[in-house]
Amino acid sequence: MCALRVPVSHCTMSIAIKCCCQLYRTNDAFALLGFCFRRSIVPDVFIFNALLDGLVHEDRILEAEMFFKKLIKELFKQMCALRVPVSHCTMSIAIKCCCQLYRTNDAFALLGFCFRRSIVPDVFIFNALLDGLVHEDRILEAEMFFKKLIKGKLCEPDVVTYNTMIKGALLMEEKGCKPNVVTYSTIIDSLCKDKMIDDAFKLLKEMVFQKGISPNVITYNSLIDGLCNLGRWDEASKMLQEMVDVGISPDVQTFNILVDAFCKEGKVDEAENAIDIMLERGIVPDMVTYNALIDGYCLRGEMSKAKIIFDSMVFRGLVPDIFTYSSLLNGYCKSLKIDEAMDLFNEITRKGLKQDVVTYNTMIQGLFRVGHCGAARRLFDEMHKKGLKPNECTYRVILEGLCNNHQIEEALSMFHLMGDSKLNFDIFMYNILIDGAGKCGKLDIARLLFEDITKMECDFPPNNVTYCVILQGYLKNQYYDDVEILLHEMDGRRYSLDATTLSLFLDQIAAGLLDKTLLELIGKLVPKELVERKTACFVPCWGWCQLRAPAVNCISFCFWICTCTLLHII
DNA sequence: ATAGGGTTAG
C-alpha cells in the first residue's frame, strides 16, 4: 500500500490491528501500533481494546495488565516525543478507555492531567467518568460527582449524563439501597433546568407508579419552574392545581417561581395577582419576590412603578441587595436614563454593597448605548483594577457597543486580544462582529469572519443567527453574489429567516433590486409554525402585498402571510 | 441531602 501510495488511514490501522489480534498475532499488532505512532495516527479506544483483548485471548493476562498500566504513560511519552499533540480528543479517548476497562480511578488521574495541561474536560469526558463509576457499582460516588458537576457548573449535562444517572439509580435499588425522593428530585430538577421536561415527567411517573415514592413540594417546584421556563403555562397551572389536590401547599418558593416567570413574560399584572393570592394564603413575600417584581417593571421601563415597589420593600424592613440594585440599574440603562443609572451605580458602593461583574456589564452596556464609549472603556479598566474578571458577557457587551458606535476596528482588535488570552469566544461573538461589520459597511470584514467559521474544523459552526446577520450585511450593502448560495445552505441546515432579514428581502424585491424568483426559496425558509397560523389574515395581507409588490404571484402566498405576521402588520 | 432574584448577538 505504501509503495502504491494508497493512503494509510486511522481506519486501515484499526482494521489491521484488530485482524492481527483475532488471529492470535498480538505481537504483530503491537508492531502496527508503533507504525501508527510513527505515522502520527492516534490510536483510539477500539485499537487499545483490540490489543488488550488480543493479550487476554492469548492468556497473557499479566502482560495485559502491565500493558494497560503502561499504556497511558507510554502513550503520552511517545506522543510527546513524536510531537503528536496531546489534544482534548486524546484525553477523551484515554479516559473513556480507562472507564470502559473498569479503571475509573486511572481515568480520574487522567482528569487531573487534563487540568494540568489546561485541557478543559467536556460533557463526553464527564459522562465517561460517571459511567465508569456506575459500572463499578460506585453509585454514591457517581451521585456525588454528578452533583458536583451541576453545582460547580463544570459542564452542561446531556441526555447521556441523565441516562447514566437514571441507570445508576436503578442499579442502586438492585443492590438494596433504595433511591428516595431526594435522589429523584435531584435528577428531575437538573432535567427541568436543561429543558428536558418530558424526560423529567417520565422519571416522575417512574418514581410515583413504579417505586411508589410521592413527590414533595420541591419536586413540584422544580417541575413548575421547568414548565414556566418553556412557556408551557397551561401545564404549569395544572401542576399547581395537582399539587394542591394532593395536599401539598405551595410555599414562598412556588410563588416566587410564578412571579418571576410572569415578570419575565412581561405579565406584571399577573405577577401582582400571584402576590395577592400569596398574601391571602398567609405566605409572606420575601426578598426574591420583590426583586422579581422590581425586575419585571424595570424590564418594561416602568421605573416609577419599580421605585414604588422598592420603597414598599424597604418599608417592610427588607434591605435591598445587589440583585435589587442590578435590576434598577438595568432599567435605567435600558430606558437610556444614563445619569440616573450612574447615580445608582455609585449608590451601590455607598450602601456598602460590592459591585460585581454583572453591575459593571450593565453599566458598560448603558454607556455604550448612549454613545459614551470613553466612559465605558474607563469603567472596563476600573473593573480590571478592582480585580473583577470580565466574563463572556462583558466581551459581548463591549464588542456590540464598539460595533454600534462604528468602531469596528477597535472591536476586532479587542476580539483578537480575547483570542490571545484564551478566553472562550464563541459563535455569539462572531455574530456580533459580522453584524457590526455589515452595519458599518465593512462587508469585506464580515465576509472574512464568516469564512473563518465556515472553513473546516471550526469548533463552532455558524448558526441560524450567523446566516441571518451575514445576509443582512449583504443586502444592506447591495451585494448579491452569494445570497442565493447562502439561502440554499440555510435550507440544507434547516435554518429559517428571522423578521429583520425577511423584511430586508421583501423591501429589496419590492424595489426591484433583487429578482423575485428568489421568493420561492425564501418562502421555504419561513418557520413552519408561522405558515399554519391564522388563515383569517389572508385578505388584508394579500391587499398589502399587492400594494407593496404588485408583481408577486401566489407562489409565495404563505411566505407573505408569515412575513406580515412577523412584522406585526396585520 | 433535593427547589426560587440581576447582565448576554439578530
Side-chain angles (χ1 to χ4, degrees), chain A residues 123 127 130 134 146 150 155-170 184-197 199-200 203:
Chain A
V123 66
N127 284 349
L130 268 177
V134 170
F146 176 70
I150 308 280
C155 82
E156 281 286 312
D158 65 3
V159 65
V160 179
T161 325
Y162 290 116
N163 286 343
T164 309
M165 287 315 295
I166 293 165
K167 195 170 72 190
L170 294 173
Y184 276 104
S185 295
T186 307
I187 307 174
I188 286 173
D189 184 61
S190 323
L191 284 166
C192 289
K193 289 221 168 55
D194 277 339
K195 307 194 187 302
M196 293 158 83
I197 197 90
D199 294 288
L203 196 60

Side-chain angles (χ1 to χ4, degrees), chain A residues 434-451:
Chain A
I434 293 171
D435 184 50
K439 277 182 183 154
C440 296
K442 308 265 181 179
L443 199 57
D444 45 333
I445 296 178
R447 290 183 64 186
L448 277 174
L449 288 163
F450 189 72
E451 272 168 30

Side-chain angles (χ1 to χ4, degrees), chain A residues 472-489:
Chain A
Q472 284 171 34
Y474 280 162
L475 295 177
K476 278 179 193 153
N477 293 282
Q478 306 201 354
Y479 175 90
Y480 301 117
D481 288 6
D482 297 337
V483 166
E484 195 169 342
I485 300 171
L486 286 172
L487 288 173
H488 277 296
E489 276 177 27

Side-chain angles (χ1 to χ4, degrees), chain A residues 334-371:
Chain A
K334 287 264 150 66
S335 32
L336 306 179
K337 292 178 175 155
I338 204 68
D339 295 333
E340 281 98 326
M342 210 60 206
D343 286 346
L344 195 77
F345 187 76
N346 293 324
E347 194 183 323
I348 294 175
T349 325
R350 278 206 305 278
K351 293 271 174 190
L353 293 166
K354 268 211 158 127
Q355 298 282 7
D356 62 14
V357 65
V358 176
T359 52
Y360 268 102
N361 289 351
T362 311
M363 197 63 231
I364 290 171
Q365 189 186 46
L367 288 166
F368 271 123
R369 282 240 164 106
V370 294

Side-chain angles (χ1 to χ4, degrees), chain A residues 194-316:
Chain A
D194 277 339
K195 307 194 187 302
M196 293 158 83
I197 197 90
D198 298 318
D199 294 288
F201 274 104
K202 238 190 259 166
L203 196 60
L204 178 75
K205 256 191 192 158
E206 185 193 297
M207 170 179 124
V208 176
F209 295 113
Q210 287 173 33
K211 309 293 175 228
I213 302 169
S214 304
N216 61 18
V217 63
I218 295 174
T219 327
Y220 275 108
N221 284 350
S222 293
L223 288 163
I224 290 170
D225 190 38
L227 288 168
C228 286
N229 283 332
L230 286 172
R232 285 159 70 164
W233 300 93
D234 293 346
E235 289 158 273
S237 81
K238 237 188 253 166
M239 282 312 283
L240 193 64
Q241 190 57 52
E242 185 188 311
M243 178 174 178
V244 176
D245 289 345
V246 298
I248 297 170
S249 306
D251 61 5
V252 61
Q253 295 205 37
T254 320
F255 280 101
N256 285 346
I257 290 165
L258 295 172
V259 169
D260 187 54
F262 282 134
C263 287
K264 290 228 164 61
E265 280 279 302
K267 299 173 180 167
V268 197
D269 295 339
E270 301 212 37
E272 295 260 25
N273 246 342
I275 294 176
D276 287 341
I277 297 171
M278 203 171 164
L279 291 167
E280 276 167 28
R281 290 176 152 261
I283 300 169
V284 184
D286 63 8
M287 188 77 129
V288 181
T289 327
Y290 282 107
N291 281 349
L293 195 61
I294 289 173
D295 194 51
Y297 281 121
C298 287
L299 287 175
R300 293 159 57 106
E302 296 182 26
M303 296 312 290
S304 49
K305 285 218 172 146
K307 203 78 178 77
I308 292 171
I309 306 295
F310 179 87
D311 291 339
S312 71
M313 172 180 171
V314 175
F315 182 73
R316 279 168 194 255

